[in-house]
Coordinates of all heavy atoms in Angstrom, one line a residue:
R24 N -4.1 10.6 7.5 CA -4.3 9.6 8.5 C -5.4 8.6 7.9 O -5.2 7.4 8.2 CB -4.9 10.4 9.6 CG -5.4 9.6 10.8 CD -5.6 10.2 12.1 NE -6.7 11.1 12.0 CZ -7.2 11.9 12.9 NH1 -6.5 11.9 14.0 NH2 -8.2 12.7 12.8
Q25 N -6.4 9.0 7.2 CA -7.2 8.0 6.6 C -6.5 7.0 5.6 O -7.0 5.8 5.6 CB -8.4 8.8 5.7 CG -9.3 9.6 6.6 CD -10.0 8.8 7.7 OE1 -10.5 7.7 7.3 NE2 -10.1 9.3 8.8
A26 N -5.6 7.5 4.8 CA -4.8 6.5 4.1 C -4.1 5.4 4.9 O -4.0 4.3 4.6 CB -3.8 7.3 3.2
L27 N -3.5 5.9 5.9 CA -2.9 4.9 6.9 C -3.8 3.9 7.4 O -3.6 2.7 7.6 CB -2.1 5.8 8.0 CG -1.2 4.9 8.9 CD1 -0.2 4.1 8.2 CD2 -0.5 5.8 9.9
L28 N -5.0 4.4 7.9 CA -6.0 3.6 8.5 C -6.6 2.5 7.4 O -6.8 1.2 7.6 CB -7.1 4.4 8.9 CG -7.0 5.1 10.2 CD1 -8.1 6.1 10.6 CD2 -6.5 4.3 11.4
R29 N -6.6 2.9 6.1 CA -7.1 2.1 5.1 C -6.1 0.9 4.9 O -6.4 -0.3 4.7 CB -7.3 2.8 3.8 CG -8.6 3.4 3.6 CD -8.9 3.9 2.2 NE -8.1 5.2 1.8 CZ -8.3 6.3 2.1 NH1 -9.3 6.7 2.9 NH2 -7.4 7.2 1.8
L30 N -4.8 1.3 4.9 CA -3.7 0.3 4.8 C -3.8 -0.7 6.0 O -3.7 -1.8 5.7 CB -2.4 1.1 4.8 CG -1.1 0.2 4.8 CD1 -1.0 -0.7 3.6 CD2 0.2 1.0 5.0
V31 N -3.7 -0.2 7.1 CA -3.9 -1.1 8.3 C -5.1 -2.0 8.3 O -5.0 -3.2 8.6 CB -3.7 -0.3 9.6 CG1 -3.9 -1.2 10.9 CG2 -2.3 0.4 9.7
R32 N -6.2 -1.5 8.0 CA -7.4 -2.2 8.0 C -7.4 -3.3 6.9 O -7.7 -4.6 7.2 CB -8.6 -1.3 7.5 CG -10.0 -1.9 7.7 CD -11.2 -1.2 7.3 NE -11.1 0.1 8.2 CZ -11.2 1.3 7.6 NH1 -11.1 1.6 6.3 NH2 -11.2 2.4 8.4
E33 N -6.8 -3.0 5.7 CA -6.7 -4.0 4.7 C -5.6 -5.1 5.2 O -5.8 -6.3 4.9 CB -6.2 -3.4 3.5 CG -6.2 -4.5 2.3 CD -7.4 -5.1 1.9 OE1 -8.6 -4.6 2.2 OE2 -7.4 -6.3 1.5
A34 N -4.5 -4.7 5.8 CA -3.6 -5.7 6.3 C -4.1 -6.6 7.3 O -3.7 -7.8 7.4 CB -2.4 -4.9 6.8
N35 N -5.1 -6.0 8.1 CA -5.8 -7.0 9.1 C -6.8 -8.0 8.4 O -6.7 -9.0 8.9 CB -6.5 -6.0 10.1 CG -7.2 -6.8 11.2 OD1 -6.5 -7.8 11.8 ND2 -8.4 -6.5 11.6
R36 N -7.4 -7.5 7.5 CA -8.4 -8.3 6.8 C -7.7 -9.4 5.8 O -8.2 -10.4 5.7 CB -9.4 -7.4 6.0 CG -10.3 -6.6 6.8 CD -11.2 -5.8 6.0 NE -12.0 -5.0 6.7 CZ -12.6 -3.8 6.3 NH1 -12.4 -3.5 5.1 NH2 -13.4 -3.2 7.2
N37 N -6.7 -8.9 5.2 CA -6.1 -9.7 4.1 C -4.7 -9.5 4.0 O -4.1 -8.9 3.1 CB -6.8 -9.3 2.8 CG -6.6 -10.4 1.7 OD1 -6.1 -11.6 2.0 ND2 -7.2 -10.2 0.5
P38 N -3.9 -10.2 5.1 CA -2.4 -9.8 5.2 C -1.6 -10.3 4.1 O -0.5 -9.6 3.9 CB -2.1 -10.3 6.5 CG -3.1 -11.5 6.8 CD -4.4 -11.0 6.1
H39 N -2.1 -11.2 3.4 CA -1.1 -11.7 2.3 C -1.5 -11.1 0.9 O -0.8 -11.4 -0.1 CB -1.3 -13.4 2.1 CG -1.0 -14.0 3.4 ND1 0.3 -14.1 3.6 CD2 -1.7 -14.6 4.2 CE1 0.4 -14.8 4.9 NE2 -0.9 -15.1 5.3
Q40 N -2.3 -10.2 0.9 CA -2.7 -9.6 -0.4 C -3.0 -8.1 -0.3 O -3.9 -7.5 -0.8 CB -3.9 -10.3 -1.1 CG -3.7 -11.7 -1.5 CD -4.9 -12.4 -2.1 OE1 -5.9 -11.8 -2.1 NE2 -4.4 -13.5 -2.6
V41 N -2.1 -7.4 0.5 CA -2.3 -5.9 0.7 C -1.9 -5.2 -0.7 O -0.8 -5.4 -1.1 CB -1.5 -5.4 1.8 CG1 -1.6 -3.9 1.9 CG2 -1.9 -6.1 3.2
P42 N -2.7 -4.5 -1.4 CA -2.3 -3.8 -2.6 C -1.2 -2.8 -2.4 O -1.3 -2.1 -1.5 CB -3.6 -3.1 -3.0 CG -4.7 -3.8 -2.3 CD -4.2 -4.2 -1.0
P43 N -0.2 -2.9 -3.1 CA 0.9 -1.8 -3.0 C 0.5 -0.5 -3.1 O 1.1 0.4 -2.5 CB 1.9 -2.3 -4.2 CG 1.5 -3.7 -4.6 CD 0.0 -3.8 -4.2
D44 N -0.7 -0.2 -3.8 CA -1.0 1.1 -4.0 C -1.6 1.7 -2.6 O -1.4 2.9 -2.3 CB -2.1 1.4 -5.1 CG -3.4 0.4 -4.6 OD1 -3.3 -0.7 -4.5 OD2 -4.5 1.1 -4.8
L45 N -2.0 0.8 -1.6 CA -2.4 1.3 -0.4 C -1.2 1.8 0.5 O -1.2 2.8 1.2 CB -3.2 0.3 0.5 CG -4.5 0.0 0.1 CD1 -5.1 -1.2 0.9 CD2 -5.5 1.2 0.0
L46 N -0.1 1.2 0.3 CA 1.2 1.5 0.9 C 1.7 2.9 0.3 O 2.1 3.7 1.1 CB 2.2 0.5 0.8 CG 3.5 0.6 1.5 CD1 3.4 0.8 2.9 CD2 4.5 -0.5 1.3
E47 N 1.6 3.0 -1.0 CA 2.1 4.3 -1.5 C 1.0 5.3 -1.2 O 1.5 6.5 -1.0 CB 2.0 4.0 -3.1 CG 2.6 5.3 -3.9 CD 3.9 5.7 -3.4 OE1 4.8 4.7 -3.1 OE2 4.1 6.8 -3.4
E48 N -0.1 5.0 -1.0 CA -1.1 6.1 -0.8 C -0.9 6.6 0.7 O -0.9 7.8 1.0 CB -2.5 5.5 -0.7 CG -3.7 6.5 -0.4 CD -5.0 5.9 -0.3 OE1 -5.3 4.8 -0.9 OE2 -5.9 6.6 0.3
A49 N -0.6 5.8 1.6 CA -0.2 6.1 3.0 C 1.1 6.9 3.0 O 1.1 8.0 3.7 CB 0.0 4.9 3.8
R50 N 2.0 6.5 2.2 CA 3.4 7.3 2.1 C 3.0 8.7 1.5 O 3.7 9.7 1.8 CB 4.4 6.5 1.3 CG 4.9 5.4 2.1 CD 6.2 4.8 1.5 NE 6.7 3.9 2.3 CZ 7.0 2.5 2.1 NH1 6.7 2.2 0.8 NH2 7.6 1.7 2.8
S51 N 2.2 8.7 0.4 CA 2.0 10.0 -0.3 C 1.2 10.9 0.8 O 1.3 12.1 0.6 CB 1.1 9.8 -1.4 OG 1.9 9.1 -2.4
A52 N 0.5 10.4 1.7 CA -0.3 11.2 2.7 C 0.6 11.6 3.7 O 0.1 12.3 4.7 CB -1.5 10.4 3.2
G53 N 1.9 11.3 3.8 CA 2.8 11.7 4.8 C 3.3 10.7 5.8 O 4.1 11.0 6.6
A54 N 2.9 9.5 5.7 CA 3.3 8.4 6.7 C 4.7 8.0 6.2 O 4.9 7.5 5.1 CB 2.3 7.3 6.7
D55 N 5.6 7.9 7.1 CA 6.9 7.3 6.8 C 6.9 5.8 7.4 O 5.9 5.4 8.0 CB 8.1 8.1 7.5 CG 8.0 8.2 8.9 OD1 7.3 7.4 9.6 OD2 8.7 9.1 9.5
N56 N 8.0 5.2 7.3 CA 8.0 3.7 7.6 C 7.8 3.6 9.0 O 7.1 2.7 9.5 CB 9.4 3.3 7.3 CG 9.5 2.9 5.8 OD1 8.5 2.8 5.1 ND2 10.8 2.7 5.3
D57 N 8.2 4.5 9.9 CA 8.0 4.4 11.3 C 6.5 4.5 11.6 O 6.1 3.7 12.5 CB 8.7 5.5 12.1 CG 10.3 5.3 12.1 OD1 10.7 4.2 12.0 OD2 11.1 6.4 12.4
N58 N 5.8 5.4 11.0 CA 4.3 5.6 11.2 C 3.7 4.3 10.8 O 2.8 3.9 11.5 CB 3.8 6.8 10.4 CG 4.4 8.1 10.7 OD1 4.8 8.9 9.8 ND2 4.6 8.4 12.0
I59 N 4.0 3.7 9.7 CA 3.4 2.5 9.1 C 3.6 1.4 10.2 O 2.7 0.7 10.5 CB 3.9 2.2 7.8 CG1 3.5 3.3 6.8 CG2 3.4 0.9 7.3 CD1 3.9 3.4 5.5
I60 N 5.0 1.3 10.5 CA 5.3 0.1 11.4 C 4.5 0.3 12.7 O 3.9 -0.7 13.3 CB 6.8 0.1 11.6 CG1 7.4 -0.4 10.3 CG2 7.1 -0.9 12.9 CD1 8.9 -0.2 10.4
E61 N 4.4 1.4 13.3 CA 3.7 1.7 14.5 C 2.2 1.4 14.4 O 1.6 0.8 15.2 CB 3.9 3.2 14.9 CG 3.2 3.4 16.4 CD 3.4 4.8 16.8 OE1 3.9 5.7 16.0 OE2 3.1 5.1 17.9
A62 N 1.6 1.8 13.3 CA 0.1 1.6 13.1 C -0.1 0.1 12.9 O -1.1 -0.4 13.6 CB -0.3 2.3 11.8
M63 N 0.7 -0.6 12.2 CA 0.6 -2.1 12.0 C 0.8 -2.7 13.4 O 0.1 -3.8 13.6 CB 1.6 -2.6 11.0 CG 1.5 -2.1 9.6 SD 0.1 -3.0 8.8 CE 0.6 -2.7 7.1
S64 N 1.8 -2.3 14.1 CA 2.0 -3.0 15.4 C 0.8 -2.7 16.4 O 0.5 -3.6 17.1 CB 3.3 -2.4 16.1 OG 4.4 -2.6 15.3
V65 N 0.2 -1.6 16.5 CA -0.9 -1.4 17.2 C -2.1 -2.2 16.8 O -2.9 -2.9 17.6 CB -1.3 0.2 17.2 CG1 -2.6 0.4 18.0 CG2 -0.2 1.0 18.0
M66 N -2.4 -2.3 15.6 CA -3.4 -3.1 15.0 C -3.1 -4.6 15.4 O -4.0 -5.3 15.8 CB -3.5 -3.0 13.4 CG -4.5 -3.9 12.8 SD -3.9 -5.5 12.2 CE -2.5 -5.2 11.1
E67 N -2.0 -5.1 15.3 CA -1.6 -6.4 15.5 C -1.7 -6.8 17.0 O -2.2 -7.9 17.5 CB -0.2 -6.7 15.2 CG 0.0 -7.8 14.1 CD -1.0 -8.7 13.7 OE1 -1.3 -9.7 14.5 OE2 -1.7 -8.5 12.7
L68 N -1.4 -5.8 17.8 CA -1.5 -5.9 19.4 C -3.1 -6.1 19.7 O -3.5 -7.0 20.4 CB -1.1 -4.7 20.0 CG -1.3 -4.7 21.6 CD1 -0.3 -5.8 22.2 CD2 -0.7 -3.2 22.1
Y69 N -3.9 -5.2 19.2 CA -5.4 -5.4 19.5 C -5.9 -6.7 18.9 O -6.7 -7.3 19.4 CB -6.1 -4.2 19.0 CG -6.0 -2.9 19.9 CD1 -5.1 -2.0 19.8 CD2 -6.9 -3.0 21.0 CE1 -5.0 -0.9 20.6 CE2 -6.8 -1.9 21.8 CZ -5.8 -0.9 21.6 OH -5.8 0.1 22.6
A70 N -5.5 -7.0 17.6 CA -6.1 -8.2 17.0 C -5.7 -9.4 17.7 O -6.5 -10.4 18.0 CB -5.5 -8.4 15.6
G71 N -4.4 -9.5 18.2 CA -4.0 -10.6 19.0 C -4.6 -10.6 20.3 O -5.0 -11.8 20.8
F72 N -4.8 -9.5 21.0 CA -5.5 -9.6 22.2 C -7.0 -10.0 22.1 O -7.4 -10.7 22.8 CB -5.5 -8.1 22.8 CG -6.0 -8.0 24.2 CD1 -5.3 -8.6 25.3 CD2 -7.2 -7.2 24.4 CE1 -5.9 -8.5 26.6 CE2 -7.8 -7.1 25.7 CZ -7.1 -7.7 26.8
N73 N -7.7 -9.5 21.0 CA -9.0 -10.0 20.7 C -9.0 -11.5 20.6 O -9.9 -12.2 20.9 CB -9.6 -9.3 19.7 CG -10.1 -7.9 20.0 OD1 -10.3 -7.6 21.2 ND2 -9.9 -6.9 19.1
R74 N -8.1 -12.1 19.8 CA -8.0 -13.5 19.5 C -7.8 -14.3 20.8 O -8.5 -15.3 21.1 CB -7.0 -13.9 18.5 CG -7.3 -13.6 17.1 CD -6.3 -14.1 16.1 NE -4.9 -13.5 16.2 CZ -4.6 -12.5 15.5 NH1 -5.4 -11.8 14.8 NH2 -3.4 -12.0 15.7
L75 N -6.9 -13.8 21.6 CA -6.7 -14.5 23.0 C -8.1 -14.4 23.8 O -8.4 -15.5 24.3 CB -5.6 -13.7 23.8 CG -5.3 -14.2 25.1 CD1 -4.7 -15.5 25.0 CD2 -4.5 -13.3 25.9
L76 N -8.8 -13.3 23.8 CA -10.0 -13.2 24.6 C -10.9 -14.2 24.0 O -11.8 -14.8 24.7 CB -10.5 -11.8 24.7 CG -9.7 -10.8 25.4 CD1 -10.2 -9.4 25.2 CD2 -9.5 -11.2 26.8
D77 N -11.1 -14.2 22.7 CA -12.0 -15.1 22.0 C -11.7 -16.6 22.4 O -12.7 -17.4 22.7 CB -12.1 -14.9 20.5 CG -12.6 -13.6 20.0 OD1 -13.3 -13.0 20.9 OD2 -12.4 -13.3 18.9
A78 N -10.4 -17.0 22.4 CA -10.0 -18.3 22.6 C -10.4 -18.9 24.1 O -10.8 -19.9 24.3 CB -8.5 -18.4 22.4
F79 N -10.2 -17.8 25.0 CA -10.7 -18.1 26.5 C -12.1 -17.7 26.7 O -12.6 -17.8 27.9 CB -9.8 -17.4 27.4 CG -8.4 -18.0 27.4 CD1 -7.3 -17.4 26.8 CD2 -8.2 -19.2 28.1 CE1 -6.0 -18.1 26.8 CE2 -7.0 -19.9 28.1 CZ -5.9 -19.2 27.4
Q80 N -12.8 -17.3 25.7 CA -14.3 -17.0 25.7 C -14.5 -15.8 27.0 O -15.3 -16.0 27.8 CB -15.0 -18.2 25.9 CG -15.0 -19.0 24.8 CD -15.9 -20.3 25.0 OE1 -16.5 -20.5 26.0 NE2 -15.8 -21.3 24.0
I81 N -13.6 -14.9 26.9 CA -13.7 -13.7 28.0 C -14.4 -12.6 27.3 O -13.8 -12.0 26.4 CB -12.3 -13.4 28.3 CG1 -11.6 -14.5 29.1 CG2 -12.3 -12.2 29.3 CD1 -10.1 -14.3 29.2
P82 N -15.7 -12.2 27.7 CA -16.4 -11.1 27.2 C -15.9 -9.8 27.8 O -16.7 -9.2 28.5 CB -17.8 -11.4 27.4 CG -17.7 -12.3 28.6 CD -16.4 -13.0 28.6
I83 N -14.7 -9.4 27.5 CA -14.2 -8.2 28.2 C -15.1 -7.0 28.1 O -15.2 -6.2 29.0 CB -12.8 -7.9 27.7 CG1 -12.0 -6.8 28.6 CG2 -12.6 -7.6 26.3 CD1 -11.7 -7.4 29.9
E84 N -15.6 -6.6 26.8 CA -16.5 -5.5 26.6 C -17.5 -5.4 27.6 O -17.8 -4.4 28.3 CB -16.9 -5.4 25.2 CG -15.8 -5.1 24.3 CD -15.1 -6.4 23.8 OE1 -15.4 -7.4 24.1 OE2 -14.0 -6.3 23.0
S85 N -18.4 -6.5 27.7 CA -19.5 -6.4 28.4 C -19.2 -6.4 30.0 O -19.8 -5.7 30.8 CB -20.5 -7.6 28.2 OG -19.9 -8.9 28.5
A86 N -18.2 -7.1 30.3 CA -17.8 -7.1 31.8 C -17.3 -5.7 32.2 O -17.5 -5.2 33.2 CB -16.6 -8.1 32.0
F87 N -16.4 -5.0 31.3 CA -15.9 -3.7 31.5 C -17.1 -2.8 31.7 O -17.2 -1.9 32.5 CB -14.9 -3.4 30.5 CG -14.3 -1.9 30.7 CD1 -13.2 -1.8 31.6 CD2 -14.9 -0.9 30.0 CE1 -12.7 -0.5 31.8 CE2 -14.3 0.4 30.3 CZ -13.4 0.5 31.1
A88 N -18.0 -2.9 30.6 CA -19.1 -1.9 30.6 C -20.0 -2.1 31.8 O -20.4 -1.0 32.4 CB -20.0 -2.1 29.4
D89 N -20.3 -3.2 32.3 CA -21.1 -3.4 33.5 C -20.4 -2.9 34.6 O -21.0 -2.2 35.5 CB -21.5 -4.9 33.8 CG -22.3 -5.5 32.7 OD1 -23.0 -4.7 32.0 OD2 -22.4 -6.7 32.5
E90 N -19.1 -3.1 34.9 CA -18.4 -2.7 36.0 C -18.3 -1.0 36.0 O -18.2 -0.5 37.1 CB -17.0 -3.2 36.0 CG -16.1 -2.9 37.2 CD -14.8 -3.6 37.1 OE1 -14.7 -4.8 36.7 OE2 -13.7 -3.0 37.5
H91 N -18.2 -0.5 34.8 CA -18.0 1.0 34.8 C -19.2 1.8 34.5 O -19.0 3.0 34.0 CB -16.8 1.2 33.8 CG -15.4 0.7 34.3 ND1 -15.0 -0.6 34.1 CD2 -14.5 1.3 35.2 CE1 -13.9 -0.7 34.7 NE2 -13.6 0.4 35.4
R92 N -20.3 1.1 34.3 CA -21.6 1.9 34.1 C -21.9 2.9 35.2 O -21.9 2.5 36.4 CB -22.7 0.8 33.9 CG -24.0 1.5 33.5 CD -25.1 0.5 33.1 NE -24.6 0.0 31.8 CZ -24.6 -1.3 31.5 NH1 -24.9 -2.3 32.4 NH2 -24.2 -1.7 30.3
P93 N -22.1 4.1 34.8 CA -22.5 5.1 35.9 C -23.9 4.8 36.5 O -24.7 4.3 35.8 CB -22.5 6.4 35.1 CG -22.5 6.0 33.6 CD -22.1 4.7 33.5
S94 N -23.9 5.0 37.8 CA -25.2 4.7 38.5 C -26.0 5.9 38.2 O -25.6 7.2 38.3 CB -25.0 4.6 40.0 OG -24.2 5.6 40.6
V95 N -27.3 5.7 38.0 CA -28.3 6.8 37.7 C -29.2 7.0 39.0 O -29.5 6.2 39.8 CB -29.1 6.4 36.6 CG1 -30.1 7.5 36.3 CG2 -28.2 6.2 35.4

């Protein structure tokens, strides 16, 4: 699982220069193409959602936290 996370993290940070050894490391750790595609898709979904929120200057985290903060 850690190898797959390293691959996805690097793909998010530097999508045009993902080292092939990270892909091989994820495969050697048991990830198949379906696992890799799913992990990359989830990463892209969250990254795209965050870019959208940033573009519209929507502070979703703080708004959500304030709304769901337990009363003491």
Side-chain angles (χ1 to χ4, degrees):
R24 182 167 65 181
Q25 293 298 318
L27 186 56
L28 290 174
R29 279 191 291 279
L30 171 65
V31 171
R32 187 179 306 124
E33 185 60 29
N35 185 39
R36 290 179 181 159
N37 199 2
H39 299 290
Q40 296 180 349
V41 177
D44 60 312
L45 287 179
L46 183 58
E47 186 54 40
E48 182 184 343
R50 287 191 172 126
S51 294
D55 61 14
N56 285 343
D57 289 342
N58 300 137
I59 293 167
I60 291 168
E61 182 178 9
M63 294 280 206
S64 298
V65 170
M66 178 270 300
E67 240 350 275
L68 178 66
Y69 278 96
F72 186 66
N73 284 332
R74 281 190 295 274
L75 178 70
L76 294 176
D77 289 345
F79 286 104
Q80 300 177 358
I81 300 171
I83 190 75
E84 291 85 5
S85 63
F87 181 83
D89 290 343
E90 184 177 320
H91 293 89
R92 181 170 289 129
S94 56
V95 179

